[in-house]
Amino acid sequence: AQSVTQLGSHVSVSEGALVLLRCNYSSSVPPYLFWYVQYPNQGLQLLLKYTSAATLVKGINGFEAEFKKSETSFHLTKPSAHMSDAAEYFCAVSPSGNTPLVFGKGTRLSVIA
Amino acid sequence: KAGVTQTPRYLIKTRGQQVTLSCSPISGHRSVSWYQQTPGQGLQFLFEYFSETQRNKGNFPGRFSGRQFSNSRSEMNVSTLELGDSALYLCASTRLEEGGVGYTFGSGTRLTVV
């Protein structure tokens, strides 16, 4: 069975600092991996997805993630945090692109001015 | 184009009642999935419908059910509501025929059971 572990339920960074949100997965097959963002009282918005085409994936709002098979990781990064990045971030895995998503518990990102 | 539309946005129900939530997918998307989000359990998959047939089912009691109509709109129903059913219910749609490009989520229905 697939599972996702997000290290750190809450991450706090200063505005302009590097954002690093960690995600490790377990999957018996090469997975599809996703990062979603959720703003208060809203649904989930897709930031980026890994579908085996390239290990470094660029997403919206300046975010990117690197798939590392040897480390079973798919960490999300952004070089410079903005106040508007404050939200909850979810990593998700799917054994194929069209099977139910298994989500991590989420990481709440706070950005300090 | 319009996104995934969920109605209503907010609901307050009493224990023991039943509730029906609605989801209209993106035009052309024939797969609709439902997820429950709670602070304690996080995001959990309820079920998925494709072409009016349940394609996948999560590990929820039979009180949770769903259906899909010929226009791909979906409803989920929860009978005999319990306090623990209070949650944000999210609907997502995708175009399965393309081999999966990820799911687009609606804004959710916030259900409060009192």
Side-chain angles (χ1 to χ4, degrees):
Chain A
Q2 294 77 34
S3 67
V4 174
T5 302
Q6 291 184 241
L7 290 175
S9 59
H10 183 207
V11 170
S12 186
V13 300
S14 298
E15 193 175 17
L18 172 72
V19 175
L20 171 60
L21 304 182
R22 299 178 187 274
C23 172
N24 289 88
Y25 69 91
S26 70
S27 176
S28 56
V29 297
Y32 286 67
L33 293 157
F34 306 84
W35 275 100
Y36 284 89
V37 61
Q38 185 177 37
Y39 298 99
N41 296 316
Q42 293 191 27
L44 302 175
Q45 180 183 11
L46 180 66
L47 280 176
L48 49 81
K49 60 182 182 284
Y50 168 75
T51 59
S52 76
T55 57
L56 183 62
V57 181
K58 293 187 184 298
I60 62 171
N61 301 340
F63 285 94
E64 63 181 38
E66 186 173 8
F67 173 71
K68 292 186 176 180
K69 185 178 179 180
S70 61
E71 299 177 7
T72 61
S73 69
F74 190 58
H75 302 330
L76 182 71
T77 60
K78 181 174 180 177
S80 176
H82 294 170
M83 297 297 291
S84 59
D85 294 327
E88 186 132 24
Y89 292 79
F90 293 92
C91 181
V93 65
S94 172
S96 69
N98 54 12
T99 47
L101 297 169
V102 175
F103 285 91
K105 292 292 188 184
T107 297
R108 184 163 61 91
L109 175 67
S110 297
V111 182
I112 304 167
Chain B
K1 61 182 178 182
V4 178
T5 303
Q6 291 189 246
T7 56
R9 285 297 308 275
Y10 301 93
L11 266 178
I12 299 176
K13 290 287 188 179
T14 305
R15 269 182 305 175
Q17 287 186 314
Q18 74 166 12
V19 67
T20 299
L21 312 182
S22 179
C23 172
S24 293
I26 290 174
S27 177
H29 286 192
R30 292 198 290 156
S31 165
V32 174
S33 299
W34 290 88
Y35 290 80
Q36 181 196 64
Q37 185 179 23
T38 59
Q41 298 299 316
L43 282 151
Q44 294 184 287
F45 170 73
L46 281 155
F47 29 66
E48 179 185 13
Y49 287 86
F50 178 72
S51 293
E52 302 179 65
T53 301
Q54 189 177 83
R55 183 170 173 267
N56 286 294
K57 186 178 189 304
N59 188 26
F60 277 81
R63 300 185 297 108
F64 291 82
S65 63
R67 60 177 176 170
Q68 187 179 34
F69 302 95
S70 58
N71 62 357
S72 295
R73 189 177 71 84
S74 177
E75 291 181 346
M76 68 163 281
N77 183 276
V78 188
S79 62
T80 320
L81 284 166
E82 300 176 0
L83 295 179
D85 298 333
S86 294
L88 180 66
Y89 290 89
L90 292 165
C91 167
S93 73
T94 191
R95 193 191 297 270
L96 276 184
E97 300 91 318
E98 293 180 354
V101 292
Y103 292 84
T104 302
F105 283 80
S107 296
T109 294
R110 172 77 63 184
L111 172 64
T112 302
V113 183
V114 298

